[in-house]
């Protein structure tokens, strides 16, 4: 299929959907199913226009169209500018084919390196997410239910500063600790436990440590917000009834905090699987993480369509994770993103 | 042109639900007019229709003879005092009061004069610089009134303005509101579910039930001459005896129920055989009176100094209340006694329609 | 020792460990910024020095990156705060049938990995500006700001939404009833009510933009920001100048946090005083009635 008309079609799409809803709304107002003031009556012309322009610009030009363009590009071949719109500019699955088989045409061999990195990224991200949850849950519970107001305030203050230190510096801190000349090797050698330094970074220990550290606080805050709303009386009542502590957490606190747990896990998974800084700074020479591979499609291979396909695969993974969390927790999107 | 408020067949529907049904009235300029009714009967909806936040699904609201359809709340000669007061927390007391003038582009000096005048009117003379969060309940109340009066409305609409106040203060504010109305002389349309408030303050009252206006009249006529069973039982205390009409004449009727036969006035001209309810006020029941006798047992005697409340159980198990004046001697507790009432003080009405 | 005390000790132990884990790496990195050793290390601590800060501040690329980061940050605030505000207001009014689709669209950037946002931004704007003849918009700083704003607007919207949920719409109606136009209601009532949220959204937007790497590294094209320069430096090799940068950033956030805390305490004290005044007035009124 010729790809030349792809862009006008894609650009028209969000506007068409918007128009469609607008028309339905007008119709329903005519038949009286919607009542009350219309949008412009309610906000006035000037404010109403501002609202529509701002939201349309954001939703259409900053969110929907870029994503659609990326998806569209992932189905195009890589062509020199002169060949664009020519006979070779047709929609194709070759970029996805490349992800699976390491070649645009042949299906002889699996693309082991990329597929392995992909699965490793997903599995490691899930593990990191779980680890972060276990590490943060007690703190969130303590802050939300146990700590006095003054102590809580102090803890929140303590958490703000590391929150705003950027990812690269966090990764760098782990390099200072784990590199061959770094703190751990120095300590171990100083204690006489090692004669040769261990290459922690080459073994990816540094990378995993850095990844599990990087998004810790994004787990704490959603958990804290959710548990905070649990009435203290509920826990006390359960305790009075003689429920053991683990029972209270598993059957009272966690079900109550489900939206917060889902929200923290989704965020941490998304950030970890899409992390770029930690793998770049701490990754060993054999890159095992998926995001740097995507990065290389753009800046080493200069193959944007292929990079788009890889990015889209990552996006689909994240969508699948969000859907899975929503399904498992029986939650709506609104509850997760609160 | 006088600023009469006229509701002409006003019906308000939310989806399938009818909140106000076919309301017809004319409120005269300068009147203190109350809507009285239980929670959820559509009082607020009527007020919001008059003030322009809701357009009636059918019928018209006219102010000073002019149809208000399509005229927004900000263009109507009304001012509304909200159930929650809705004072602006981001502004000082003075800025709250001056807000209506500010959006009309009135100059600062004139505004200030008007603000001072109103602060004095509501007895808040020196509180202008305060934030609304620093005020007591009664003071907030006054600010809300002053803010609404500042725009010199022809009609002031008040939605249960006293409901958030302490009981003691509420009594006090009633008098004050009435005094303010006398002084400014504009129409007050007042909403309440408290009959005491409605009876003491209003020139006329509309009693509402389930979206319908059941009766309009001054306090005395609503209390003494209710025209529906709902009005009879909602306004003031009343004893109800149900049965069938066995005898009907122009101005009186006889109703027969489980307690026997009773005679009462028949203002609506009910016909023989109709199902009906006889209402008689507790203060109309008299111990030992020969007319319309009821046999009952005394179950409760509450002595209140000038008055005594007596709770009775009639032979069919229904409850009745009697109010005795200071001179009257109450019967003995748990004793069989006979009560009667003057037929002229009992009213026979059709039973309350449900649905 | 009874069970309760054991529990307390364990909780204390856990808290210490957690914060040690959180701060340990940052502190170690911080110390290396003051060590004369040419390689960032704590032991041996050779000698105390500030030379790395000096080197840092004379690093031309870093300073250009810093300038760009600041420019982008301002741009992001200017885009995200209005977009997030409009997004939140529209969310409350949007036609019921379109609401879930609308919500899905505008919060999706929060759940999308930053690299993907960066990638899609450059792909779209390259073709779009190329095709429509507005090529001057295809500029690293602008694209970085647009890319970052797509998800930072969503953060802002969530901040506004949570404040709007507590908004009493009777205030708007009261203003209308007093004769205000819709635009006046917006200016006089809604915006002042949202002002604290506008402020925190702006601060949050700026900080998020400043520290962003994943989206920026794609969207910045051939320009540089502080984080992309930093990433390049870190990949080339470790130098304590990077630790010095970390110390600087941490120092600024700590200072900011303290200022924020002080402001908040003053605010709380003011609110408490107002409440006391109101209670006093209430008491006097009841006594008088
Ligand atoms: N916007 C609306 N949409 C749907 N139903 C509504 C709406 N506004 C009011 N109602 C319904 O209309 C009925 C009347 O409401 P209204 O607020 O007028 O009652 P009210 O007499 O003022 O009661 P209250 O004394 O509790 O204030 C109620 O049952 C209410 O649920
Ligand atoms: Mg009401």
């Amino acid at each position: 299929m010729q790809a030349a008309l792809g862009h006008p079609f894609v650009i028209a799409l969000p506007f068409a959907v918007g128009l469609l809803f607008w028309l339905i709304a007008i119709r329903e107002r005519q038949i009286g199913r919607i009542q009350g003031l219309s949008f412009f009556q309610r906000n006035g012309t000037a404010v109403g226009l501002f609202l529509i322009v701002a939201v349309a610009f954001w939703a259409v030009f900053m969110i929907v169209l870029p994503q659609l363009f990326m998806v569209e590009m992932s189905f195009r071949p890589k062509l020199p500018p002169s060949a664009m719109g020519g006979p070779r500019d047709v929609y194709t699955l070759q970029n996805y084919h490349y992800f699976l088989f390491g070649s645009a045409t042949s299906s002889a061999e699996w693309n082991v390196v990329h597929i392995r990195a992909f699965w490793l990224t997903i599995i490691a991200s899930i593990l990191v997410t779980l680890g972060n949850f276990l590490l943060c849950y007690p703190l969130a519970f303590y802050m939300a239910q146990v700590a006095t107001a003054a102590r809580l305030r102090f803890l929140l203050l303590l958490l703000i500063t590391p929150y705003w230190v950027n990812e690269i510096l966090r990764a760098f801190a782990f390099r200072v600790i784990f590199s061959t000349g770094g703190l751990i090797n120095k300590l171990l050698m100083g204690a006489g436990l090692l004669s040769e330094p261990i290459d922690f970074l080459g073994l990816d220990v540094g990378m995993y440590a850095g990844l599990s550290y990087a998004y810790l606080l994004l787990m704490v805050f959603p958990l804290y917000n959710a548990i905070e709303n649990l009435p203290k009386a509920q826990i006390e009542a359960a305790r009075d009834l003689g429920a053991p502590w683990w029972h209270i957490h598993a059957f009272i606190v966690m079900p109550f905090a489900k939206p917060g747990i889902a929200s923290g896990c989704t965020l941490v998974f998304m950030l970890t699987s899409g992390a770029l800084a930690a793998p770049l700074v701490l990754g060993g020479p054999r890159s095992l993480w998926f995001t740097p591979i995507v990065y290389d499609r753009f800046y080493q291979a200069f193959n944007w369509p292929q990079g788009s396909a890889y990015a889209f695969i990552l996006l689909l993974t994240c969508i699948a994770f969000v859907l899975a969390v929503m399904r498992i927790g029986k939650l709506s999107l609104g509850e997760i993103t609160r | 042109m006088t600023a009469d408020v006229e509701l002409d067949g006003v019906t308000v529907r939310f989806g399938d639900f009818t909140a106000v049904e076919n309301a017809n009235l004319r409120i005269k300029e300068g009147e203190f007019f109350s809507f009285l009714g239980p929670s959820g009967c559509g009082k607020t909806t009527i007020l919001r229709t008059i003030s322009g936040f809701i357009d009636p699904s059918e019928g018209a609201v006219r102010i000073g003879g002019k149809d208000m359809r399509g005229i927004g709340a900000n263009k109507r000669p009304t001012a509304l005092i909200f159930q929650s007061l809705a004072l602006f927390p981001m502004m000082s007391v003075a800025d709250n009061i001056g807000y209506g003038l500010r959006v009309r582009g009135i100059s600062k000096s004139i505004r200030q004069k008007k603000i001072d005048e109103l602060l004095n009117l509501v007895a808040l003379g020196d509180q202008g610089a305060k934030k609304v969060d620093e005020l007591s309940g009664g003071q907030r109340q006054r600010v809300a009134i002053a803010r609404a009066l500042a725009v010199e409305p022809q009609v002031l609409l008040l939605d249960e303005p006293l409901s958030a106040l302490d009981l003691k203060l509420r009594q006090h504010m009633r008098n004050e509101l009435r005094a303010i109305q006398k002084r400014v002389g504009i129409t007050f349309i007042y909403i309440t579910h408290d009959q005491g408030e409605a009876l003491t303050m209003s020139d006329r009252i509309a009693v509402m039930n389930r979206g319908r206006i059941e009766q309009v009249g001054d306090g005395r006529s609503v209390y003494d001459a209710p025209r529906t069973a709902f009005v009879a039982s909602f306004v003031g205390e009343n004893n109800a005896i149900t049965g069938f009409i066995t005898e009907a004449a122009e101005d009186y009727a006889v109703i027969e129920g489980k307690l026997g036969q009773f005679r009462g006035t028949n203002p609506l001209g009910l016909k023989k055989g109709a199902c009906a309810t006889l209402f008689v006020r507790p203060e109309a029941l008299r111990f030992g009176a020969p007319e319309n006798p009821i046999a009952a047992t005394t179950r409760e005697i509450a002595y209140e100094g000038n008055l005594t409340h007596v709770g009775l159980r009639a032979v069919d198990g229904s409850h009745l209340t009697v109010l005795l004046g200071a001179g009257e001697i109450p019967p003995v507790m748990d004793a069989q006694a006979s009560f009667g009432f003057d037929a002229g003080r009992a009213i026979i009405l059709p039973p309350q329609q449900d649905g | 020792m009874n069970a309760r005390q054991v529990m307390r000790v364990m909780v204390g132990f856990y808290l210490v460990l957690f914060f040690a884990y959180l701060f340990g790496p940052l502190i170690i990195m911080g110390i290396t910024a003051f060590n004369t050793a040419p390689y960032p290390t704590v032991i041996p601590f050779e000698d105390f020095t500030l030379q790395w800060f000096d080197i840092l501040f004379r690093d031309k690329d870093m300073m250009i990156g810093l300038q760009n980061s600041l420019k982008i940050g301002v741009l992001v605030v200017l885009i995200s705060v209005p977009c997030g505000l409009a997004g939140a207001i529209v969310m409350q009014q949007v036609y019921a049938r379109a609401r879930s689709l609308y919500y899905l669209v505008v919060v999706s950037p929060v759940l999308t990995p930053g690299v993907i946002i960066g990638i899609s931004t450059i792909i779209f704007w390259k073709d779009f500006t190329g095709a429509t003849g507005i090529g001057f918009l295809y500029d690293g700083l602008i694209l970085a700001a647009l890319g970052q704003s797509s998800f930072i607007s969503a953060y802002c919207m969530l901040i506004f939404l949570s404040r709007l949920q507590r908004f009493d719409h009777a205030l708007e109606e009261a203003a209308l009833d007093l004769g205000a136009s819709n635009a006046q209601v917006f200016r006089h009532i809604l915006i002042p009510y949202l002002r604290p949220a506008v402020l925190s959204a702006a601060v949050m937007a700026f900080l998020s933009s400043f520290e962003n790497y994943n989206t920026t590294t794609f969207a910045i094209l051939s320009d540089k920001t502080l984080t992309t320069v930093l990433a390049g430096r870190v990949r080339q090799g470790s130098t304590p100048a990077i630790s010095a940068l970390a110390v600087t950033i941490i120092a600024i956030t700590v200072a900011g946090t303290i200022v924020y805390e002080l402001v908040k305490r003053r605010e709380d004290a003011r609110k408490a005083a107002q409440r006391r005044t109101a209670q006093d007035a209430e008491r006097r009124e009841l006594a008088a009635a």
Side-chain angles (χ1 to χ4, degrees):
Chain A
M1 195 171 66
Q2 270 293 326
L5 284 176
H7 283 165
F9 174 75
V10 163
I11 292 178
L13 193 63
F15 290 101
V17 172
L19 197 67
L20 184 70
F21 274 108
W22 195 282
L23 289 177
I24 298 178
I26 289 176
R27 176 83 197 121
E28 296 212 331
R29 191 174 285 282
Q30 274 173 355
I31 61 173
R33 196 173 299 158
I34 316 179
Q35 279 165 348
L37 297 177
S38 74
F39 184 79
F40 282 104
Q41 279 172 337
R42 189 162 160 186
N43 299 299
T45 316
V47 174
L49 270 181
F50 157 70
L51 292 177
I52 289 200
V53 169
V55 168
F57 181 70
W58 175 32
V60 176
F61 287 91
M62 281 154 73
I63 302 175
V64 174
L65 286 182
Q67 299 292 344
L68 289 180
F69 266 62
M70 184 187 86
V71 174
E72 198 256 3
M73 180 179 262
S74 76
F75 292 104
R76 286 178 168 215
K78 185 196 175 196
L79 294 173
S82 56
M84 293 211 188
R88 280 160 61 214
D89 198 1
V90 289
Y91 286 123
T92 160
L93 287 173
Q94 71 179 50
N95 297 314
Y96 296 93
H97 196 274
Y98 185 91
F99 169 69
L100 291 175
F101 301 106
S103 140
T105 45
S106 139
S107 313
E109 261 179 275
W110 293 96
N111 186 355
V112 183
V113 179
H114 290 179
I115 295 175
R116 212 170 74 110
F118 175 71
W119 284 111
L120 213 79
T121 301
I122 294 175
I123 294 167
S125 299
I126 292 176
L127 291 179
V128 165
T129 307
L130 286 180
N132 275 357
F133 172 69
L134 293 179
L135 211 56
C136 294
Y137 177 81
L139 177 72
F141 181 79
Y142 176 81
M143 294 201 311
Q145 294 285 336
V146 185
T148 58
R151 172 76 59 91
L152 171 65
R153 203 151 173 164
F154 177 68
L155 290 178
L156 283 174
L157 279 181
L158 274 186
L159 292 178
I160 290 178
T161 307
Y163 187 85
W164 290 116
V165 174
N166 79 45
E167 284 173 60
I168 298 177
L169 291 173
R170 285 182 211 194
F172 180 73
F174 274 75
R175 189 140 108 194
V176 171
I177 295 172
F178 281 113
S179 63
T180 35
L183 183 66
I184 293 189
N185 273 317
K186 284 267 172 63
L187 285 177
L188 290 176
M189 278 161 46
L193 294 172
L194 286 181
S195 50
E196 286 279 287
I198 301 178
D199 184 10
F200 287 114
L201 297 182
L203 294 170
D204 291 318
V205 175
M207 184 176 90
Y208 290 124
L211 281 170
S212 37
Y213 177 80
Y215 308 111
L216 204 55
L217 292 175
L218 285 151
M219 185 65 93
V220 175
F221 289 118
L223 286 182
Y224 162 74
N225 283 333
I227 303 177
E228 193 199 9
N229 293 327
L230 177 70
K232 280 198 170 62
Q234 271 192 34
I235 298 177
E236 273 154 22
R239 203 171 276 150
D240 281 348
L241 293 173
W245 64 269
W246 59 267
H247 195 280
I248 293 177
H249 284 283
F251 293 103
I252 294 174
V253 184
M254 288 199 196
F256 183 85
K258 211 168 59 180
I261 296 174
S263 148
C265 288
T266 317
L267 275 178
V268 170
F269 176 84
M270 182 276 285
L271 288 166
T272 311
S273 63
L276 189 53
L280 283 184
V281 174
L282 295 167
R286 304 159 297 116
S287 186
L288 284 174
W289 210 250
F290 193 63
T291 351
I293 295 175
V294 181
Y295 185 82
D296 286 347
R297 296 301 98 199
F298 282 86
Y299 291 112
Q300 305 275 304
F302 294 104
N303 190 337
W304 283 29
Q306 210 176 69
S308 305
Y310 278 52
F312 189 44
I313 291 170
L314 181 62
L315 182 62
L316 287 178
T317 312
C318 288
I319 293 173
F321 187 87
V322 174
L323 289 178
V325 166
M326 281 163 63
R327 175 64 60 87
I328 295 171
K330 298 193 180 62
L331 294 163
S332 70
L333 187 65
E335 288 172 297
I336 296 182
T337 48
R338 200 161 12 224
Chain B
M1 186 82 242
T2 57
D4 287 5
V5 176
E6 200 183 335
L7 303 184
D8 183 2
V10 169
T11 297
V12 180
R13 276 188 279 271
F14 298 113
D16 296 334
F17 178 77
T18 306
V20 175
E21 196 176 330
N22 193 20
N24 289 290
L25 357 123
R26 174 184 278 271
I27 299 166
K28 289 192 284 293
E29 181 172 306
E31 205 173 3
F32 196 119
F33 190 94
S34 293
F35 283 95
L36 172 65
S39 190
C41 70
K43 305 180 298 284
T44 299
T45 307
I46 281 208
L47 215 61
R48 291 170 61 79
T49 313
I50 298 173
S51 60
F53 292 111
I54 304 176
D55 269 335
S57 317
E58 280 162 37
V61 174
R62 280 189 280 273
I63 300 178
K66 188 164 176 235
D67 191 346
M68 289 285 129
R69 179 167 292 274
I71 299 180
N74 47 1
K75 300 269 172 9
R76 296 194 183 186
T78 59
L80 175 60
I81 294 182
F82 288 74
Q83 208 159 356
S84 62
L85 301 187
L87 298 180
F88 306 132
M90 52 290 230
M91 299 180 198
S92 69
V93 167
D95 289 343
N96 261 280
I97 297 175
Y99 185 75
L101 302 175
R102 174 175 158 205
V103 296
R104 282 173 174 70
I106 310 267
S107 80
K108 209 159 184 174
S109 56
I110 300 178
R111 222 153 74 197
Q112 193 55 48
K113 243 179 76 194
K114 184 86 190 170
I115 291 170
D116 290 339
E117 197 179 297
L118 283 161
L119 281 170
N120 285 329
L121 177 77
V122 296
L124 282 177
D126 50 351
Q127 311 279 332
K130 280 199 174 162
K131 286 267 183 233
V132 292
D133 284 338
E134 295 174 309
L135 301 182
S136 69
Q139 289 172 328
R140 289 153 162 271
Q141 195 65 63
R142 291 161 212 250
V143 176
I145 295 167
R147 185 178 73 176
L149 289 176
V151 298
E152 298 185 354
Q154 293 174 324
V155 181
L156 188 66
L157 308 164
L158 304 98
D159 190 354
E160 308 205 20
L162 305 185
S163 59
L165 294 186
D166 199 89
L167 186 67
K168 244 164 95 186
L169 210 57
R170 220 180 296 167
Q171 307 273 359
H172 180 74
M173 284 301 288
R174 276 187 201 175
N175 303 335
E176 202 167 306
L177 262 179
R178 185 70 214 199
I180 289 175
Q181 197 254 347
K182 284 263 151 62
R183 219 171 322 158
V184 295
I186 59 171
T187 315
F188 271 40
I189 300 182
Y190 189 91
I191 278 190
T192 179
H193 61 248
D194 178 335
Q195 38 158 322
E197 257 173 36
L199 292 173
T200 50
M201 296 163 76
S202 333
D203 297 320
R204 281 196 304 156
I205 300 170
V207 184
M208 285 189 72
N209 183 34
R210 295 169 189 261
R212 273 195 296 264
I213 296 180
E214 301 244 340
Q215 187 171 345
V216 183
D218 61 16
R220 188 163 295 279
S221 74
V222 167
Y223 187 85
D224 286 341
R227 284 298 171 262
T228 70
F230 174 79
V231 176
S233 50
F234 185 76
V235 182
E237 227 177 329
N238 230 331
N239 294 303
I241 298 168
T242 49
F244 290 93
I245 295 184
T246 54
E247 202 187 319
E250 183 95 339
D251 50 354
Y252 78 94
V254 176
I255 180 174
E256 178 165 352
K258 286 187 197 143
L259 289 177
Q261 288 202 338
F262 302 98
R263 179 185 287 262
T265 57
N266 182 13
L268 302 184
L270 296 178
K271 295 279 172 324
K272 190 171 165 184
C275 185
T277 308
L278 177 140
F279 289 96
V280 56
R281 296 273 177 205
E283 63 269 25
L285 277 178
R286 281 293 152 267
F287 185 45
E291 201 181 345
N292 290 318
I294 308 170
T297 321
T298 348
R299 300 310 301 259
E300 206 185 312
I301 298 176
Y303 179 67
E304 289 169 14
N306 55 341
L307 293 170
T308 308
H309 260 266
V310 182
L312 302 174
R313 184 146 87 197
V315 286
D316 70 337
S318 59
H319 291 269
L320 300 171
T321 310
V322 179
L323 203 59
L324 298 177
E328 291 167 287
I329 302 138
V332 197
M333 188 72 169
D334 286 328
Q336 192 77 27
S338 174
F339 289 82
F341 57 88
D342 194 354
R345 298 187 66 183
I347 296 180
I348 297 177
L349 296 168
Q352 190 163 349
Q353 283 140 16
D354 284 317
Chain C
M1 240 175 23
N2 61 29
R4 214 181 184 104
Q5 284 168 321
V6 173
M7 202 67 185
R8 282 183 71 139
V9 170
M10 271 168 59
V11 169
F13 191 64
Y14 159 79
L15 283 179
V16 168
L17 272 187
F18 186 94
F19 282 96
Y21 179 58
L22 195 62
F23 285 105
L26 299 181
I27 292 173
I28 291 166
M29 169 169 62
I31 295 173
T32 63
F34 300 99
N35 191 351
T36 42
Y39 185 76
T41 181
V42 187
I43 36 182
F45 194 88
E46 290 171 7
D47 211 351
F48 180 85
T49 174
L50 291 177
Q51 74 191 53
W52 303 115
F53 288 89
D54 195 40
I55 291 173
L56 172 71
F57 294 131
R58 268 192 270 150
D59 186 326
K60 233 164 121 205
D61 277 356
M62 286 265 196
M63 289 304 125
I64 292 175
L66 175 66
Q67 275 176 14
N68 285 341
S69 286
L70 295 178
K71 282 183 203 159
I72 294 173
V74 171
L75 217 54
V76 165
V77 170
L78 293 180
I79 299 172
S80 314
V81 173
C83 284
L85 177 64
I89 294 172
V90 169
M91 180 73 73
Q92 294 212 317
Q93 302 185 0
V94 72
Y95 168 50
R97 274 171 214 278
R99 184 166 299 140
S100 45
L101 177 67
Y102 173 68
Y103 191 77
L104 177 72
V105 168
V106 292
V107 300
S108 65
V110 173
L111 301 174
T112 307
V115 286
I116 294 177
I117 293 177
I119 290 169
S120 57
T121 302
I122 49 170
I123 290 175
F124 170 67
W125 288 100
K126 183 174 167 59
D127 286 344
F128 187 72
T129 54
T132 49
I134 44 173
F136 66 95
L137 280 181
Y138 190 66
D139 171 275
L141 297 190
I142 293 177
L143 288 201
L146 285 173
Q148 293 176 0
S149 298
S150 88
F151 63 92
I152 294 176
S153 298
Y155 293 155
C156 292
M157 182 189 74
L158 294 174
I159 293 179
F160 289 125
L161 269 183
S162 83
R163 187 151 172 91
L164 272 179
Q165 264 153 14
R166 279 173 283 139
F167 181 63
D168 178 7
H169 286 281
L171 294 184
E172 288 180 323
E173 294 188 337
L176 269 182
D177 191 60
L178 292 169
S181 67
N182 293 298
Q184 282 171 323
V185 173
F186 190 78
R187 274 207 320 275
H188 298 155
I189 310 295
L190 196 61
I191 295 298
Y193 174 78
L194 288 175
R195 187 162 296 145
V198 170
L199 205 72
S200 45
V203 171
M204 191 275 316
F206 185 82
L207 291 178
S208 303
S209 160
F210 192 78
E211 64 124 35
N212 182 274
Y213 173 65
N214 289 357
T215 301
T216 314
T217 187
F218 285 95
I220 195 67
L221 303 175
S222 55
D223 276 322
K224 41 185 163 269
T225 68
L226 189 61
T227 47
T228 59
V229 174
L230 186 62
R233 287 292 144 77
V234 171
R235 292 180 82 182
Q236 280 162 20
S238 305
T239 130
I242 295 167
S243 307
L245 177 64
V247 169
T248 314
I249 290 178
I250 292 173
I252 292 172
T253 39
V254 167
T257 310
I258 292 173
V259 170
Y260 169 82
E261 179 68 8
L262 290 178
V263 169
K264 203 164 153 207
R265 289 215 175 151
R266 266 229 324 253
E267 183 74 359
D268 286 354
R270 205 173 54 83
K271 284 240 176 70
Q274 281 186 355
R275 256 198 315 279
R276 271 198 306 279
T277 322
Q279 280 161 0
D280 285 349
E282 196 87 37
R283 229 170 289 129
R284 250 178 287 126
E285 189 171 73
L286 282 179

